[in-house]
Amino acid sequence: MSCLHKMCSIVPIITAANFDICIDYVIQVQNRSQLINDQALVRCEYSMANFSTGDRMRKPKGDRRSTEISLVIRQTMEACILTHLMPRSQIDIFVQVIQADGGTRSACINAATLALADAGIPMRDIVTSCSAGYLNSTPLLDLNYVEDSAGGPDVTVGFLPKLDKVTLLQMDAKLSLDTFENVMQLAIEGCKAVANYIREILLENTKQLECRRGL
């Protein structure tokens, strides 16, 4: 197999108390067995550094949790990438959590979105993610490790702001319908806030590139 690198981006991102590094690149693959003729193939690999949490335990590569989060990130990214514009190509997304304090799934999706946009990957909209929970009869946004470990229900949402479309919805406990709607709406508002921040960062970065190139 021979590969030709087309686009590449390395983006460090800090969300709450999480510090992630996301690397993505597009390659043109000559191995016919891996190609999809009418769209790009999206792959994702999620991992956590051994020192990312307080226990400093060795985290095996490819364990069940990492595989599940990798699948969630890949499916969320596939919902926003215009894969039909890049047939017979492969988009690899690598996300590594350097410091974790709850909400790593959402932080990784946001990091992947920023990396894809920075690399010039065509997308329907930037997809952002945020978690919200319900603890002591109070809706909470972007739970940290202590809040997440308290045992209350939490909802993780992936959202396309311009299209007003939910691409990811995960919940690990039961909630009444009224409470669920309040918690989900809080998570969506968090997604919109993250999307606005990402757009500001991309615009600022674009202006800096224009100045460096004398445009």
Side-chain angles (χ1 to χ4, degrees), residues 94-116:
F94 301 93
V95 187
Q96 183 172 42
V97 179
I98 304 300
Q99 178 180 329
D101 186 15
T104 57
R105 193 168 315 194
S106 294
C108 290
I109 290 174
N110 295 329
T113 296
L114 184 55
L116 289 169

Side-chain angles (χ1 to χ4, degrees), residues 22 31 74:
C22 181
N31 190 340
R74 179 178 65 80

